[in-house]
Amino acid sequence: SALLTGKLPGGSARNLALPLDGTWSARGGLAAWRGCIDLKYDELGYANLILTNKRLLVCPGPGGAILRYDGGGVKLAAGAPALNVSGRLGTTPIRIASGPVGFAMPGSLAARSLNISLGPADNATAFRISNLSARVGSDIAGRFADTEARIGAVPLDILAASGAWRYANGIL
């Protein structure tokens, strides 16, 4: 395995232990991580989100590899059977638990059964999102369905919400 620290496309890593596993052929190009990998890290970041929980199980899509590089360019497609991560969004503590999550680059993000807690545990804002989808490009935008939001600092609960969302230039 390799121990990586530094910038990644859209983010960064600190002490990311990345197993080295792949194949190369002139016809098929590079195919890396055809099976699940157990990522271990001190910090893993994307945009303003920094995860600090130390480990994440990542798997390729059906019949594929997490990373491919061939005549069509670089493609990344990975998923996690579940998330149980924590860290910070900007300076705000965040905890995320979920069912299956999938991510492809270029392209898309999909998540099921998301439970997100923002802020200190004693007055956190809690989001429960049954289905979340997004298009990932220069910004990130998509749809959410069957969502509850319970805002800790304000007596406001949002129930059974659905709609569109967008994250661009640090603004949701």
Side-chain angles (χ1 to χ4, degrees):
S1 72
L3 188 61
L4 306 172
T5 294
K7 294 194 179 272
L8 298 171
S12 63
R14 186 167 57 91
N15 294 328
L16 171 64
L18 187 64
L20 299 177
D21 177 36
T23 60
W24 168 263
S25 74
R27 191 172 137 224
L30 173 69
W33 306 294
R34 290 182 177 270
C36 295
I37 57 175
D38 188 17
L39 296 179
K40 296 174 186 157
Y41 55 89
D42 288 340
E43 286 189 353
L44 194 57
Y46 184 75
N48 291 335
L49 175 65
I50 303 291
L51 301 178
T52 57
N53 81 306
K54 310 293 186 211
R55 139 180 264 161
L56 182 62
L57 181 67
V58 179
C59 300
I66 292 174
L67 176 70
R68 287 198 175 278
Y69 177 70
D70 57 23
V74 176
K75 295 177 186 98
L76 178 73
L83 293 180
N84 186 11
V85 297
S86 61
R88 60 190 183 280
L89 182 60
T91 59
T92 304
I94 186 169
R95 289 160 303 286
I96 305 169
S98 76
V101 174
F103 178 76
M105 201 71 169
S108 63
L109 167 74
R112 305 287 178 260
S113 302
L114 275 169
N115 290 298
I116 302 168
S117 176
L118 283 171
D122 60 342
N123 71 338
T125 296
F127 297 92
R128 285 182 175 55
I129 306 168
S130 291
N131 293 297
L132 180 74
S133 63
R135 170 194 51 77
V136 179
S138 59
D139 63 353
I140 306 170
R143 307 228 17 108
F144 62 93
D146 192 21
T147 299
E148 292 182 10
R150 301 189 187 275
I151 302 172
V154 178
L156 175 65
D157 293 339
I158 300 169
L159 306 173
S162 296
W165 64 276
R166 180 174 180 250
Y167 180 80
N169 301 317
I171 300 169
L172 179 63

